[in-house]
Amino acid sequence: MPGVSGARLYVPRPRVSLADWCEWTDNDWNKVQNVVGRSFRLPSPTENVYTMAANAVLDLIKTYEVDPRRVGLLAFGTESSTDNAAGAVIVRGMVDRGLEQLGLPRLSRELEVPEFKHACLGGVYGLKSALRYVATDGKDRIAIMVAADVAEYERGSSGEQTQGAGAVAMLVEAEPKMFEVDLSGSGSASSYRGPDFRKPFARHFLPEYAPDTKRLSDFPVFSGKYSTYAYLDEVTQAVEAMLAKQRESAGKFYRRVKGIFFHRPYKMMPIQAMSFLYVRGLAHGENHPDELAQLCDLAEVDPKDLVAEAIDNRDIFAPIQEGREPENPFPATTAVASALRKQESFRTLLADKMRLGSEMMMDLGNLYSAALPAWLAAGFEEAVDGGGLAPHDPLVGIGYGSGDAAESMPLFVVPGWERAARRIGFRAALENEPLDLTREAYEALHDGDRSIDIGAEPKNAFVVSRVGDSYSPGFQDLGVEYYEYRS
């Protein structure tokens, strides 16, 4: 099976401590660290999604000693594009220049450069495309998938603490050196859900949009509770589709699998998803009637209501279409899942199946399309440092993108995986000269105030050097970004 042979992370230097942020904004630090994490990153004034992606790709090529001429596909997953015509080819252009400066050959001219967009699922779709490429027409060539995003929210909004920025590049081969991906056994799901999390162009021209931010911004239009319902439902559909292909019950699968990795916008979301999936497995007839009865009793839920929700394909978009406020489509399941999360047995499950890499992710923030690739990279690095994985161990990667769609992919650790995992350098990337921002510096950087020098210029990295301003009949580059590598 095709799979992944390496991974590298790039994060910008500016860092916001959520403990500090809680002091600035009068939020509860204990709650924020338990639900969200410890810190997040912001791009410096000369960085964007393309520079971060190019930094990750060039670092991957150097670290894993990749022959650039063998790369036949560069897949780019993002929802933070600043150009609606070009995507991965912009990344390719920077990487070519960086390779030349290192005295290495450019990437192959016979290189496919697709960009994948579906909210936070773009990176997973890019990975699946890379896997299909090396398994079919790629022959003896290799592929690189890079996912990069800037997760930013208006100051004062409920999403502000879940910001983040960074990129993860993955090396994909027909005979992988870290883990295989069983595409034929994967589960997919999608359903249109309207306005749970969107970035409509029209918002930029409306007076209601980000009135206190005086710069170009990419803040989403989002509905927190509704987005959570959509996440839980779509992820459940994808996992259950995967289990149907595996011909395996949920309970047996969760006991057998050695690691479970989710799309992770913040710390608590995967935990909610896991509890929801576990309860759905019980409702679908797992042979644990006593456990089901006990949890329903604790949650004061009739087991019949739980089973009804599990077999009823509910249209959670219907209330929105009818002009009503979103409502919880799974009240029984969420109540029982909440009771489950308080049980010692569930905490043991989390420790056994979702521990790897989780601690490092607390300092990353939300990376949108790169969130799942980042957690996988962190998990393999932690495993090679402290144990927890062995050859042929089964894992699962579960991706999600608002709108909504989800993917659930069986993964398998390959023999000799330790050598590739030792090169990931996840923790080293997090510790590479981070710049902790003061409140004044954070607000200035977030709001586009360039009068304050925060000293965040990237080192040995690609930057936006200038923006074109020509708009004549003979030549136009108005708004086009130009890049250079600065050491």
Side-chain angles (χ1 to χ4, degrees), residues 238-358:
V239 170
E240 291 178 352
M242 177 195 69
L243 293 174
K245 288 184 178 180
Q246 304 289 326
R247 296 183 179 180
E248 189 169 19
S249 70
K252 183 179 178 181
F253 179 78
Y254 301 144
R255 289 189 294 273
R256 177 175 64 85
V257 75
K258 299 299 183 181
I260 304 173
F261 301 87
F262 285 87
H263 166 60
R264 180 175 170 142
Y266 52 88
K267 176 187 175 183
M268 191 63 187
M269 191 71 253
I271 297 172
Q272 285 182 270
M274 190 65 243
S275 63
F276 194 91
L277 285 166
Y278 189 97
V279 170
R280 280 282 291 243
L282 293 175
H284 277 305
E286 294 291 321
N287 296 320
H288 302 283
D290 293 340
E291 182 180 15
L292 177 61
Q294 180 187 25
L295 289 171
C296 286
D297 185 57
L298 289 170
E300 298 181 349
V301 166
D302 188 330
K304 293 180 181 178
D305 293 336
L306 186 69
V307 173
E309 289 179 0
I311 62 176
D312 181 11
N313 189 13
R314 303 193 173 196
D315 183 1
I316 69 174
F317 183 36
I320 308 295
Q321 288 180 302
E322 296 168 4
R324 295 184 284 121
E325 289 290 319
E327 56 193 44
N328 186 352
F330 312 106
T333 309
T334 52
V336 176
S338 179
L340 173 66
R341 290 194 293 272
K342 298 180 177 67
Q343 305 305 303
E344 185 62 33
S345 60
F346 183 72
R347 287 193 284 268
T348 299
L349 175 70
L350 294 180
D352 288 345
K353 311 299 183 181
M354 295 170 62
R355 169 186 58 83
L356 289 175
S358 184

Side-chain angles (χ1 to χ4, degrees), residues 419-446:
R419 185 171 184 272
R422 286 192 181 96
R423 300 186 185 189
I424 292 173
F426 195 99
R427 186 176 289 103
L430 290 175
E431 296 173 353
N432 185 23
E433 298 187 42
L435 177 64
D436 286 310
L437 300 178
T438 64
R439 178 175 187 171
E440 181 186 24
Y442 163 62
E443 293 180 354
L445 183 59
H446 186 281

